[in-house]
Amino acid sequence: MINDTLQHYRMFIGGEWVEAASGEHFPSDNPYTGQPWALIPRGGAADAARAVEAAHQALTRGEWPKLNATKRGALLRKLGDLITEHSKALAETEVRDNGKLYAEMSAQTAYMAQWYYYFGGLADKIEGSVIPIDKPDTFNYTRHEPLGVVAMIIPWNSPLLLLAWKLAPALAAGNTVVVKPSEYTSASALEFMKLIEQAGFPPGVVNVVTGFGAEVGMPLVEHPRVAKVAFTGSDTTGQRIYEAAAKGLKRVSMELGGKSPNIVFDDAHLDNAVKGVISGIFAATGQTCIAGSRLLVQQSIHDRFVDQLVALAKTAKMGNPMNLDTQVGPVTNPPQFEKILGYIAIAKGEGATAVLGGERASRPECGNGWFVEPTIFTGVNNSMRIAQEEVFGPVLSVIPFKDEDEAIAIGNDVVFGLAAGVWTQNMRRAFTMAERLQAGTVWVNTYRAVSYLSPFGGYKRSGIGRESGQDMIYEYLQTKSVWISTASEVPNPFVMR
Ligand code: NAI
Ligand code: MG
């Protein structure tokens, strides 16, 4: 299986391209062909420690701590320009490794530059304040300082974009970083390091270690010099990382899973709602944290809406994700493929009816890839596992409701709270639903929109902290209060000032 035709990658530590301490590698597969295409170094605790040490060195000496915020911002904007220039090549690497559509990934890698421009612009606008302090002869002010070394643990679904959400603000704030990409999609982060080099970031400011979660991810989280862990991935892994971070009293930010309701009222523009439901669950083959995996549809239009939905979903073109007209690509990795098929079996066992799909795809255009047919289950009740657990695949559960109160009750009755969609033409309903849904993002008459300008994150088990938007830079800063006395004499030393 491992042969000379595979592209051979190295890790990026302290500005150098290095092998794992063990010298070992593992293959990374192309989900469309089902074949390995690259060799990735299999990092371990020694590599994590080496990368953290490089990041610590870069934080405490050399050029980086001496750069003023304006110059840090300029580096980030230069990186943004390089991303713009190389976005197509980055997208090709993403597609080869995670199987998502080139049409989507090329738009995503181009748009990703905005995070670096935005936080680059923000870098020198983080101002402390002078406090009108209530003590005589005292000057008190605040400084916002970097946290230190930040570990970033990234999943496979949108590797570079999810890294950008963390890396741009962390660097703007003056931190140094060690990135651990997913073992299924490590190549794009390594390709991206070429742009970090080219932009002129000093060695050690950004490092990438590759390998498996337990082998290199956990030692990174546990390393005493890591100040914060920024994670996107599953809630179970998030919980494990949170527990380990707690031992070191480290900060965390977590973007975890979802079981988001996409709620269609009978007063909605139904053609638009059908498209919105499709984009929520079949785009990206359902492999997104914000997947609208529960369709809540008002009883009065249930049958009509499901017919319309099935009719459109049926036309989805599957196949090679590099082809611009492909609409549903493969699943990224074999365990995920098995997990999706497992949930389809669970749903059937629970008595749900597959009105579309419900099996692996064996269309000729799907070749040997890991494809699952777009699947729609009706007859789902919200207490079934298929309605409660994250599938992370093209599997939609349809649940009827009778009125707003019931839509809210069902919509909120999950452990997650990442996102929600509402389809209605009634303005009062739009606002009240947006208020009552327990989710970090609510979309009305749209779905799956994100921006560098707007905060993103989860309620409940969907996460801790927010990404994007101005305020989130403070998740990578800590505040220092500085007291300066102008008194000519130190008063009674035995009482508090
Ligand atoms: P995961 O959450 O286990 O992996 C995400 C990242 O965490 C990867 O880089 C992985 O190497 C790392 N990791 C895993 N175990 C670790 C540990 N003990 N210590 C430190 N790092 C660790 O996700 P996985 O296994 O790739 O996918 C499993 C499920 O997670 C999917 O079926 C899906 O439901 C969910 N998921 C959710 C994502 C989201 O965006 N919310 C993204 C990817 C997966
Ligand atoms: Mg891969």
Side-chain angles (χ1 to χ4, degrees):
M1 186 166 78
I2 295 176
N3 60 46
D4 294 342
T5 62
L6 302 183
Q7 193 160 327
H8 187 141
Y9 280 98
R10 292 193 163 86
M11 302 195 270
F12 188 66
I13 299 179
E16 286 172 19
W17 296 94
V18 298
E19 299 290 358
S22 67
E24 285 179 43
H25 299 89
F26 62 97
S28 196
D29 300 328
N30 176 333
Y32 175 57
T33 61
Q35 296 298 313
W37 72 277
L39 279 182
I40 306 295
R42 182 168 178 168
D47 304 287
R50 185 174 170 192
V52 173
E53 197 47 49
H56 178 73
Q57 291 297 323
L59 182 79
T60 49
R61 58 188 75 162
E63 281 175 71
W64 182 248
K66 290 192 209 128
L67 278 186
N68 63 43
T70 302
K71 288 193 172 142
R72 281 204 309 271
L75 277 179
L76 282 162
R77 291 195 300 277
K78 184 157 180 211
L79 180 60
D81 287 343
L82 288 166
I83 291 167
T84 304
E85 192 184 324
H86 296 274
S87 67
K88 289 201 162 64
L90 292 173
E92 279 170 30
T93 303
E94 296 277 50
V95 175
R96 196 172 302 133
D97 222 7
N98 82 352
K100 279 172 84 173
L101 303 184
Y102 180 73
E104 169 150 317
M105 294 319 270
S106 56
Q108 206 176 80
T109 50
Y111 189 43
M112 182 176 99
Q114 295 302 329
W115 272 263
Y116 294 96
Y117 292 135
Y118 178 79
F119 285 104
L122 191 57
D124 59 3
K125 292 162 197 72
I126 303 303
E127 298 172 347
S129 37
V130 175
I131 313 281
I133 205 75
D134 59 327
K135 318 275 179 195
D137 304 326
T138 305
F139 185 66
N140 177 241
Y141 65 98
T142 58
R143 290 169 48 78
H144 298 294
E145 298 181 347
L147 299 173
V149 177
V150 180
M152 300 183 175
I153 300 187
I154 309 294
W156 41 261
N157 51 336
S158 287
L160 288 178
L161 184 70
L162 297 174
L163 174 58
W165 293 8
K166 299 165 179 55
L167 188 58
L171 293 177
N175 298 280
T176 59
V177 174
V178 180
V179 180
K180 208 298 278 178
S182 166
E183 54 273 35
Y184 299 111
T185 55
S186 301
S188 61
L190 295 169
E191 294 285 351
F192 185 61
M193 288 305 109
K194 296 178 187 164
L195 305 188
I196 290 278
E197 265 187 316
Q198 227 178 308
F201 284 91
V205 171
V206 188
N207 308 274
V208 175
V209 292
T210 53
F212 298 93
E215 293 177 6
V216 69
M218 194 43 88
L220 187 57
V221 171
E222 289 171 340
H223 196 291
R225 282 212 202 278
V226 167
K228 165 166 180 162
V229 184
F231 173 76
T232 301
S234 64
D235 60 327
T236 43
T237 299
Q239 185 181 340
R240 206 167 294 148
I241 289 174
Y242 197 10
E243 283 165 5
K247 293 208 178 95
L249 292 173
K250 294 171 191 186
R251 299 189 184 202
V252 296
S253 59
M254 310 226 142
E255 303 292 351
L256 309 173
K259 196 71 194 179
S260 300
N262 210 346
I263 305 171
V264 180
F265 285 95
D266 60 8
D267 60 20
H269 184 304
L270 292 189
D271 291 345
N272 285 345
V274 165
K275 287 190 206 152
V277 170
I278 292 216
S279 83
I281 191 65
F282 299 131
T285 315
Q287 302 173 111
T288 96
C289 48
I290 51 182
S293 50
R294 290 183 299 150
L295 164 61
L296 274 48
V297 61
Q298 199 155 18
Q299 232 148 33
S300 46
I301 55 164
H302 177 279
D303 294 355
R304 191 168 128 219
F305 191 79
V306 169
D307 286 349
Q308 219 177 315
L309 183 68
V310 169
L312 187 61
K314 239 184 205 160
T315 67
K317 200 169 172 331
M318 301 183 82
N320 187 343
M322 281 305 292
N323 294 344
L324 289 179
D325 61 347
T326 299
Q327 292 166 320
V328 176
V331 171
T332 298
N333 55 67
Q336 187 59 36
F337 179 68
E338 294 303 332
K339 179 177 168 182
I340 296 169
L341 294 178
Y343 270 107
I344 287 174
I346 288 168
K348 289 177 177 169
E350 288 177 311
T353 309
V355 290
L356 183 71
E359 57 201 1
R360 71 174 296 175
S362 48
R363 310 179 191 191
E365 58 273 31
C366 295
N368 295 319
W370 306 307
F371 284 84
V372 176
E373 285 290 340
T375 295
I376 300 176
F377 280 111
T378 56
V380 176
N381 133 1
N382 201 53
S383 59
M384 292 178 179
R385 286 184 66 190
I386 196 64
Q388 291 289 320
E389 299 173 20
E390 183 175 52
V391 176
F392 223 67
V395 181
L396 180 68
S397 295
V398 185
I399 304 168
F401 69 86
K402 66 175 185 298
D403 55 18
E404 273 175 35
D405 284 342
E406 198 183 19
I408 289 290
I410 298 172
N412 289 340
D413 184 21
V414 280
V415 295
F416 297 110
L418 194 58
V422 178
W423 298 84
T424 178
Q425 297 192 80
N426 176 328
M427 193 181 70
R428 181 205 56 80
R429 180 168 267 171
F431 278 96
T432 47
M433 291 298 287
E435 191 178 320
R436 295 177 72 191
L437 283 163
Q438 292 164 8
T441 296
V442 177
W443 291 294
V444 178
N445 297 332
T446 183
Y447 205 87
R448 237 179 144 233
V450 292
S451 167
Y452 52 97
L453 297 166
S454 187
F456 177 87
Y459 278 30
K460 303 196 281 187
R461 240 186 123 82
S462 289
I464 296 169
R466 292 292 176 274
E467 301 192 300
S468 302
Q470 266 187 53
D471 290 350
M472 71 83 45
I473 195 161
Y474 293 100
E475 303 219 4
Y476 291 97
L477 289 163
Q478 52 195 339
T479 304
K480 178 180 282 171
S481 172
V482 182
W483 296 71
I484 297 185
S485 172
T486 56
S488 48
E489 219 178 296
V490 173
N492 182 355
F494 296 101
V495 294
M496 194 182 184
R497 286 230 65 195

